[in-house]
Amino acid sequence: MAGGFDLDLRRYVRGNTQTMGVWIALAALIIFGLLRYDNFGGAYNITSFLNYNSMFIVIAVGMSFVIMTGGIDLSVGSVAAFTSVCAAYLSPYGIEIALPGGVLAGMAIGAVNACIIILMRVPPFIATLATMLGAKGGALVLSGAQTISVDWGSNFTKLGMGNAFGLFPWTIVIVLVVVIAAWFILEHTSLGRTILAIGGGEEASTLMGLKVDRTKAFVYVFSGGCAGVAGVFLASAFGAGQPLEGLGWELSAIASVVVGGTLLTGGLGSVPATVAGALLLGLVFNILNFENGRGTISLSAYWQMVIRGAFLFIVILLQTRLTAGPKARA
Amino acid sequence: MATASDATKSSAGTSSLPWNLLRANGILVALAMLLLFNALFTPNFLHLQTLFVNISQVATIAIVAIGMTLVIATGGIDLSVGAVMALAGALAPLIFLSSFGVNYPVLGLALAFILPLVAAMACGLFNGMLVSVLGVQPIIASLILFISGRGIAQVLTNGNLQTFSNPAFSYLGTGRILGLPFQGWLALALACVIAWMVQRTVFGRYILAIGGNERAARLSGAPARTVKIGVYVICSMLAGIAGLIVVAINSASDAARNGNLMELDAIAAAVVGGALLQGGKAPIFGAILGAVIIQLVKYTLLANGVEDEVALIAKAMIIVVAVYLQTARRV
Amino acid sequence: MSRPLLSMTGIDKAFAGVAALTSASLSIETGEIHGLIGQNGAGKSTMVKILTGVYRRDGGTIVFDGAGTSIGNPRDAQEHGISTIYQELTLVPLRSVTENVVLGYEPRLWGGVINWRAAHRRASEILTRFGIDIDVREPLGSYSTAIQQLVAIARAVSLNAKLVIMDEPTSSLDEREVEVLFKTVRNLKASGVSVLYISHYLDELFRICDRVTIMRDGRTVACKEIAGTTKIELIAEMLGRNIDDIQSAGMTQLGGGDARSGALLLEAVEIATGPRLRRFDLQVHAGEIVGLAGLLGSGRTEAARALFGVDSLKNGEIRLKGAAFKPAGAADAIASNLGYLTEDRKAEGIVPQMSVRENLTLAVLPKLSRSGQVQRGREREIVDRFIKALGIKTANMDQPIRELSGGNQQKVLMARWLATEPELLILDEPTRGVDVGAKLEIQGIIRDFVSRGFGVVLISSEFEELIEGADRIIVMQDGYSVEVLENPGITENALVKAIAHHHDSRTAH
């Protein structure tokens, strides 16, 4: 009997190279950096690199959940700007209040997204486009279009500038917590499996009796919350709420998720690979800096955008091959 | 043994006539209300200067929104328009400021119009190929150039602001015809040409058919791939024109700012103008009206002392309401 | 068997005022395998969707497991013990087998954490019961359709189902896989689970069902013990024909065959495009209507798609007027003077937002344009001519087509193809879902077209239409063309017999 149930090995292998590709590329880039530049593996470079990219990693993780359900969240950049202002205002009460406060503000906007998408049946692209504008407006109104200086007397700036156990920035600790939590939710809870199932087929998921609306609401609130965390980082790292920041963050986040191998059509994705995708795009910039530092060539910082775009292009080319398989079967 | 209660009968929603009228002509009503409000409450609204300011600002949005409307009509979206504006805008001064452009001013000027638009169309070709040949989702396909297009522009200019003094080129942004800004006329002319294309040409007919029912259109012999590529090429070309106008207005090219966030304004204008996101409708003059409304809302709030920031929130609400009404109409 | 497990009575359902079910009923005993058959649009799937809470019924009662139920959504249905395996697999192929089995009902540790070890164990236990021994950690999509089908069933059963609904479960399985499925179904029955088995493969019903309910036009017309019935009898009920007439039919199709008027127009030799079209032969001469008959899923539409170049050939060849014809798509076929009226008017026919005029001239646009511009005068002239000739009832030619009745929409689509001045038209169910008046008019249009020396391939589920209209009828079964009947002399009963008879020739290759 088993003879009839042969494995489609080719597709399986292709499916895994998809996520493996990111890791290989990331490893290659790191080895390249280590061999070529003296201080690349130094503690300073590593911590500052991770610290700088912590915001993007958190946002990308939130975005990955949304994309796994087959949706999109364009509001994350504005939400981060908004929550950075909220956090700055809350900073006198200390990080214990400002961090949850910022996250809650982000989740609130995520909830608005969820309502517009689920209750009003507006496509995610337009709904989150609107909240993107709304959140940006909110940030500017709240701050009076000024950067809002944080309270330097409280422990707020410790988050972005201080070190945990004197070793590495607190932001890295928090990012780690968020990443592990997200990975755990996705791999080990019913909720996570439902997220992927919805992306694989919303109609099928409904017919299987899954709680589709509730799960979709969760991913948008979660994405808002992640953007909230990023906003608090932003305020803490720069010592001020930044209502004008966050431009284009949503698109870098989408790019990270895509580079990380999450299927654009939903249904397939991994949290660690998304993190790898964000790190990969960040490393392009880091290595460019080192290369310029050596003085042998002089590539302007603008090249990083071009190279990031090229990365995205290559990944998409690979992905279209992957998705072509199942589609042809249907 | 209990029996299930009879299921409720669904009753067709009866909506009143005024409501239907409002929905059908909502955009015109909104425009009329905005104008009336401004005429009554905004100081100096009925001055010619106000008109000039608004026309020169609305023209670039409108031109890009026309192209976006075409893309949306096929069920797609183009996020790269802002980046394409920056690219085209960066190329033009490079050309007429080059030694070739200085030595042959007429030819240089002509090339400063042509080459940037060719580059823009190449961007559109890239987007269109990804969407129609490789089947990449439009939002992701256009994300590539959204990210790297502006980067290319900045690499070309080394990130520098290029200032220039070239009256012939600047006419694009500062010229007047019959007292009204040149780019306003240009936007109107382009709208007329594109609207004619949509309504009168085979290509236009195919755009609407593919957006309305791609399977039916293909089975009726519509060349879906070619048409989709064409739409992205046109959209990028129009974005290129808008990029040149912005550079001409400022007599300077700033690759970092030219066309920044334009994709959002263009999508908003197209949607407010009545474009259906799932495709099948290409209201070109609707897009112009949408651009005018978005600009007027911004202006109204500003002129009445409401901060710029609040205008963003207003814009957000307009978009949601416009799309919500579309959704409601479908059901 | 005193009280049935499920009893649905007097079920009514209308969509936008059109009745889909009229006082339909269905009764299933505990531990019974119950077949449900009917032609397209008979109301089978509407019935199932009402039972599983996808649709709300307009009237009627449902009693399940001794209690009246108010199932509001598919999850409700599952919790009541009704599991459904839909025709389109409602599983998530990218996820592992385990997930697909336990999704939504995962074994948990503390705090909602999935106990993966328990989940994998449970999944393999469940699957072993069905005689499937596979690695449950692999993505479901890496296994064959049969395995996926069985996993879906395993999921359904693991939810403590009392009733498992299977909608065309064998349509994508090969014969060996069907055997595995049947074994599973019999196991279910042995353990006291009822199965509602929806299929258009009648042979299957005789192999596993206890009773079969037949639906026609939204009504339940009969419920028969399978042991006491015959295939012909079922088909007669399905189609609403008299059984005696069918059985007394002679093989009169042997006569005729010399009525061929014109030259050979289109010829298909042993063409195949996939599992749905495995070997198909056809010849169409000028001035001839060739009918394609067969039950649902026999490959008629696939044959039409192959002839029009929409699906590419895996085998065989098509010749058009003697020359090899290899269309790369619809545009090619249209340029070669072919037309194809599709079966699904909504999905593949009309462009709803466009006007009657724009819909009518969609296929003829290349001929209607001069340097890319549509010649409006000629366009209006053509549209005007066809609106008059075909009696299309529309306020004016610029009315959106979605506002027209089904029959008038269909006439516009007929006109779309006639306007291209084709030499051969492929018509897939041209009169389905239109009122009687429009139907006669459309048939008149077809007859008129053929009388001008052109050819038609006519696909129809209505036997009268084929028998009265077609010069020859090609009978299809399971993707094979199995028999050719020649007019004059085809009787309805002969045709039904040809469709119902098991042809050995289809497995010869």
Side-chain angles (χ1 to χ4, degrees):
Chain A
M1 194 188 304
F5 311 142
D6 39 8
L7 223 85
D8 191 342
L9 267 174
R10 254 180 318 154
R11 180 137 41 97
Y12 178 69
V13 170
R14 248 188 308 175
N16 271 350
T17 44
Q18 190 46 46
T19 23
M20 268 162 63
V22 193
W23 295 109
I24 292 168
L26 185 62
L29 221 54
I30 290 173
I31 291 169
F32 172 81
L34 285 174
L35 293 177
R36 193 166 167 88
Y37 317 113
D38 292 335
N39 300 322
F40 187 78
Y44 175 77
N45 185 46
I46 291 175
T47 52
S48 67
F49 171 74
L50 288 178
N51 201 8
Y52 178 73
N53 283 288
S54 58
M55 297 179 272
F56 305 116
I57 294 172
V58 174
I59 286 189
V61 167
M63 180 72 77
S64 71
F65 274 24
V66 176
I67 291 182
M68 281 174 211
T69 64
I72 199 120
D73 186 354
L74 297 180
S75 69
V76 288
S78 295
V79 172
F82 179 74
T83 57
S84 80
V85 173
C86 294
Y89 279 122
L90 290 171
S91 60
Y93 304 103
I95 190 69
E96 303 83 355
I97 299 293
L99 180 60
V103 174
L104 277 178
M107 288 166 74
I109 299 176
V112 173
N113 280 332
C115 285
I116 302 177
I117 292 164
I118 297 163
L119 299 180
M120 293 170 73
R121 307 243 161 251
V122 171
F125 182 83
I126 291 295
T128 56
L129 176 68
T131 46
M132 168 201 219
L133 297 172
K136 189 167 172 57
L140 289 166
V141 169
L142 200 60
S143 63
Q146 305 289 319
T147 55
I148 302 300
S149 182
V150 302
D151 181 358
W152 292 85
S154 77
N155 61 358
F156 182 72
T157 50
K158 257 195 164 176
L159 177 69
M161 302 175 187
N163 284 344
F165 320 113
L167 288 174
F168 37 78
W170 278 103
T171 46
I172 296 177
V173 179
I174 293 176
V175 167
L176 221 55
V177 169
V178 172
V179 167
I180 290 173
W183 169 79
F184 189 80
I185 290 174
L186 193 65
E187 300 295 327
H188 290 285
T189 69
S190 187
L191 176 67
R193 302 286 95 184
T194 309
I195 289 173
L196 289 166
I198 292 174
E202 196 166 325
E203 173 97 25
S205 300
T206 310
L207 291 175
M208 277 171 102
L210 303 179
K211 291 158 186 154
V212 172
D213 282 353
R214 220 185 289 179
T215 308
K216 276 166 77 180
F218 168 81
V219 297
Y220 287 99
V221 172
F222 180 78
S223 175
C226 283
V229 172
V232 178
F233 285 1
L234 181 67
S236 178
F238 292 89
Q242 310 273 348
L244 290 168
E245 261 300 328
L247 277 186
W249 285 15
E250 60 286 342
L251 297 161
S252 333
I254 295 170
S256 302
V257 173
V258 172
V259 169
T262 295
L263 269 194
L264 305 172
T265 41
L268 196 71
S270 126
V271 172
T274 299
V275 175
L279 290 176
L280 189 64
L281 293 181
L283 260 186
V284 172
F285 186 50
N286 192 247
I287 286 192
L288 220 58
N289 276 341
F290 272 99
E291 195 58 40
N292 284 335
R294 280 166 62 101
T296 45
I297 57 159
S298 173
L299 282 174
S300 66
Y302 307 113
W303 274 104
Q304 67 151 328
M305 296 309 277
V306 182
I307 294 170
R308 281 185 183 186
F311 258 102
L312 187 61
F313 177 51
I314 291 165
V315 168
I316 287 170
L317 282 185
L318 288 171
Q319 279 217 2
T320 47
R321 284 217 181 147
L322 175 73
T323 42
K327 214 182 283 171
R329 283 174 61 96
Chain B
M1 185 192 301
T3 55
S5 61
D6 280 356
T8 47
K9 289 208 167 77
S10 63
S11 61
T14 48
S15 41
S16 60
L17 187 66
W19 174 239
N20 282 338
L21 267 179
L22 183 67
R23 277 207 306 208
N25 300 304
I27 184 166
L28 287 174
V29 175
L31 185 63
M33 276 163 52
L34 271 172
L35 289 173
L36 189 67
F37 178 90
N38 279 306
L40 291 176
F41 300 106
T42 307
N44 301 327
F45 181 72
L46 295 175
H47 283 175
L48 220 52
Q49 194 54 39
T50 313
L51 188 64
F52 290 162
V53 169
N54 277 310
I55 286 181
S56 59
Q57 298 217 3
V58 88
T60 44
I61 303 179
I63 290 172
V64 181
I66 293 169
M68 189 66 80
T69 301
L70 288 181
V71 171
I72 292 178
T74 63
I77 202 104
D78 186 353
L79 295 180
S80 70
V81 285
V84 171
M85 282 176 72
L87 185 59
L91 278 174
L94 280 181
I95 292 163
F96 64 68
L97 291 178
S98 67
S99 56
F100 176 83
V102 173
N103 290 338
Y104 304 93
V106 177
L107 191 58
L109 190 66
L111 286 178
F113 284 113
I114 294 166
L115 287 183
L117 294 187
V118 169
M121 287 160 79
C123 292
L125 186 66
F126 180 79
N127 288 334
M129 296 279 274
L130 280 177
V131 170
S132 73
V133 179
L134 291 178
V136 178
Q137 286 163 303
I139 181 171
I140 304 294
S142 57
L143 185 60
I144 296 172
L145 276 177
F146 172 89
I147 291 177
S148 51
R150 190 174 297 280
I152 295 171
Q154 286 171 317
V155 167
L156 286 174
T157 59
N158 232 338
N160 295 328
L161 182 74
Q162 306 178 87
T163 54
F164 58 85
S165 164
N166 187 329
F169 185 80
S170 293
Y171 185 83
L172 198 56
T174 55
R176 294 272 164 94
I177 295 177
L178 298 177
L180 291 176
F182 172 76
Q183 66 263 45
W185 292 110
L186 183 62
L188 205 61
L190 286 170
C192 289
V193 170
I194 302 282
W196 171 83
M197 185 192 82
V198 168
Q199 280 160 17
R200 296 290 176 88
T201 68
V202 175
F203 180 72
R205 200 68 72 75
Y206 281 151
I207 291 176
L208 297 177
I210 288 165
N213 185 345
E214 184 165 345
R215 278 166 73 188
R218 279 177 188 271
L219 285 168
S220 299
R225 283 185 176 184
T226 322
V227 170
K228 280 188 178 177
I229 292 175
V231 162
Y232 283 92
V233 169
I234 292 174
C235 179
S236 288
M237 187 192 74
L238 290 173
I241 293 175
L244 295 182
I245 292 174
V246 170
V247 170
I249 291 175
N250 298 330
S251 283
S253 163
D254 182 354
R257 293 186 55 199
N258 187 357
N260 208 359
L261 292 185
M262 180 54 92
E263 59 283 348
L264 301 183
D265 276 340
I267 293 168
V271 167
V272 170
L276 285 177
L277 277 178
Q278 68 268 32
K281 273 180 80 180
I284 299 301
F285 291 105
I288 300 256
L289 282 181
V292 168
I293 283 183
I294 282 175
Q295 170 62 25
L296 261 185
V297 168
K298 207 156 58 176
Y299 181 83
T300 307
L301 294 171
L302 273 176
N304 287 282
V306 183
E307 289 144 276
D308 200 11
E309 299 72 78
V310 184
L312 280 176
I313 302 179
K315 206 193 301 185
M317 288 174 67
I318 292 173
I319 296 173
V320 170
V321 168
V323 176
Y324 179 66
L325 287 181
Q326 282 184 4
T327 329
R329 215 175 310 177
R330 274 207 312 277
V331 174
Chain C
M1 290 216 177
S2 56
R3 202 173 56 188
L5 173 73
L6 170 74
S7 163
M8 297 173 79
T9 45
I11 306 292
D12 291 322
K13 176 71 189 176
F15 294 105
V18 180
L21 292 177
T22 316
S23 195
S25 61
L26 178 67
S27 172
I28 303 175
E29 304 291 336
T30 305
E32 180 192 26
I33 303 175
H34 194 105
L36 180 61
I37 58 172
Q39 284 282 83
N40 233 356
K44 294 168 295 180
S45 48
T46 312
M47 199 72 170
V48 168
K49 286 188 169 159
I50 283 174
L51 177 58
T52 53
V54 179
Y55 298 152
R56 289 181 77 88
R57 60 188 183 277
D58 295 340
T61 43
I62 300 178
V63 180
F64 183 73
D65 203 19
T69 54
S70 51
I71 290 166
N73 59 55
R75 190 176 180 91
D76 251 14
Q78 282 181 4
E79 272 155 17
H80 277 86
I82 302 174
S83 287
T84 315
I85 298 141
Y86 286 94
Q87 196 170 353
E88 305 83 30
L89 283 176
T90 50
L91 291 172
V92 193
L94 292 170
R95 311 311 317 163
S96 74
V97 173
T98 298
E99 277 176 64
N100 275 287
V101 174
V102 301
L103 200 61
Y105 304 89
E106 299 90 346
R108 313 262 178 97
L109 298 168
W110 48 269
V113 179
I114 299 174
N115 183 345
W116 279 118
R117 282 178 59 185
H120 287 311
R121 200 166 52 233
R122 188 156 99 196
S124 23
E125 270 171 23
I126 294 168
L127 292 175
T128 313
R129 255 192 279 158
F130 292 100
I132 315 168
D133 184 20
I134 54 172
D135 186 350
V136 292
R137 290 157 206 261
E138 296 289 317
L140 180 71
S142 62
Y143 293 104
S144 68
T145 318
I147 287 282
Q148 297 189 27
Q149 193 77 255
L150 292 175
V151 169
I153 296 170
R155 172 185 167 81
V157 177
S158 72
L159 302 175
N160 293 320
K162 295 172 188 142
L163 173 65
V164 177
I165 303 170
M166 299 184 183
D167 192 351
E168 302 289 356
T170 57
S171 53
S172 46
L173 303 187
D174 67 31
E175 279 168 47
R176 196 177 32 168
E177 292 166 340
V178 170
E179 283 311 315
V180 179
L181 178 83
F182 282 179
K183 214 171 95 189
T184 311
V185 171
R186 290 192 193 102
N187 283 345
L188 287 181
K189 176 186 162 73
S191 56
V193 177
S194 303
V195 175
L196 178 61
Y197 192 91
I198 304 168
S199 179
H200 51 248
Y201 299 110
L202 298 183
D203 291 333
E204 293 176 357
L205 301 183
F206 283 90
R207 290 176 56 197
I208 58 162
C209 288
D210 299 307
R211 288 192 302 162
V212 56
T213 291
I214 303 124
M215 294 188 72
R216 189 174 70 232
D217 300 333
R219 293 167 201 275
T220 303
V221 289
C223 178
K224 292 176 183 290
E225 295 281 338
I226 203 87
T229 188
T230 60
K231 201 162 146 189
I232 301 250
E233 200 177 19
L234 291 183
I235 291 175
E237 288 284 4
M238 239 160 78
L239 305 172
R241 310 286 162 189
N242 189 323
I243 175 76
D244 296 328
D245 294 350
I246 293 175
Q247 274 174 336
S248 62
M251 301 294 275
T252 47
Q253 73 272 26
L254 289 172
D258 51 9
R260 222 158 274 152
S261 44
L264 186 60
L265 211 56
L266 183 77
E267 187 179 23
V269 185
E270 299 200 345
I271 58 170
T273 57
R276 297 297 202 84
L277 186 70
R278 298 194 255 201
R279 200 181 68 244
F280 177 75
D281 295 282
L282 162 120
Q283 289 190 333
V284 189
H285 298 80
E288 182 181 54
I289 298 178
V290 176
L292 287 190
L295 291 175
L296 211 63
S298 57
R300 297 171 307 180
T301 297
E302 286 74 12
R305 290 173 64 88
L307 294 176
F308 201 60
V310 185
D311 296 341
S312 53
L313 295 190
K314 291 212 173 107
N315 194 19
E317 65 167 332
I318 304 174
R319 280 194 287 269
L320 186 65
K321 290 193 235 170
F325 179 54
K326 288 175 187 153
D332 271 7
I334 294 168
S336 308
N337 294 326
L338 261 63
Y340 173 33
L341 183 77
T342 50
E343 177 185 16
D344 192 334
R345 193 161 62 225
K346 260 216 181 88
E348 298 190 325
I350 64 168
V351 184
Q353 288 105 331
M354 290 182 123
S355 67
V356 169
R357 170 175 53 84
E358 289 164 324
N359 267 286
L360 199 153
T361 55
L362 191 58
V364 77
L365 278 181
K367 292 182 190 166
L368 250 189
S369 63
R370 186 180 293 154
S371 52
Q373 192 182 346
V374 181
Q375 292 177 295
R376 308 254 286 180
R378 268 185 65 202
E379 182 183 27
R380 297 194 156 265
E381 189 187 304
I382 288 176
V383 175
D384 209 41
R385 177 152 53 86
F386 278 103
I387 286 180
K388 284 201 185 99
L390 272 55
I392 298 169
K393 288 183 192 69
T394 172
N396 57 63
M397 66 174 72
D398 291 314
Q399 191 180 9
I401 193 167
R402 61 168 187 270
E403 294 173 4
L404 266 56
S405 71
N408 279 302
Q409 287 183 1
Q410 192 72 347
K411 283 198 234 165
V412 173
L413 295 183
M414 282 291 291
R416 175 189 287 176
W417 292 112
L418 292 175
T420 64
E421 295 171 353
E423 292 174 83
L424 183 103
L425 271 181
I426 304 164
L427 306 173
D428 197 348
E429 301 283 5
T431 61
R432 173 180 293 163
V434 306
D435 62 82
V436 183
K439 187 172 180 170
L440 290 175
E441 285 173 323
I442 290 171
Q443 287 167 343
I445 296 163
I446 298 170
R447 210 163 293 140
D448 179 57
F449 176 74
V450 177
S451 69
R452 284 185 279 141
F454 302 122
V456 163
V457 175
L458 175 66
I459 299 173
S460 178
S461 295
E462 291 207 29
F463 296 154
E464 284 168 20
E465 192 166 87
L466 286 178
I467 289 162
E468 286 172 17
D471 296 288
R472 271 176 308 129
I473 299 176
I474 296 173
V475 180
M476 294 192 71
Q477 271 180 3
D478 299 341
Y480 295 91
S481 48
V482 291
E483 199 171 335
V484 182
L485 309 179
E486 304 272 353
N487 246 341
I490 306 175
T491 66
E492 190 165 313
N493 299 325
L495 178 57
V496 174
K497 200 166 180 179
I499 289 171
H501 180 253
H502 185 84
H503 291 263
D504 293 328
S505 62
R506 68 184 180 189
T507 47
H509 280 248

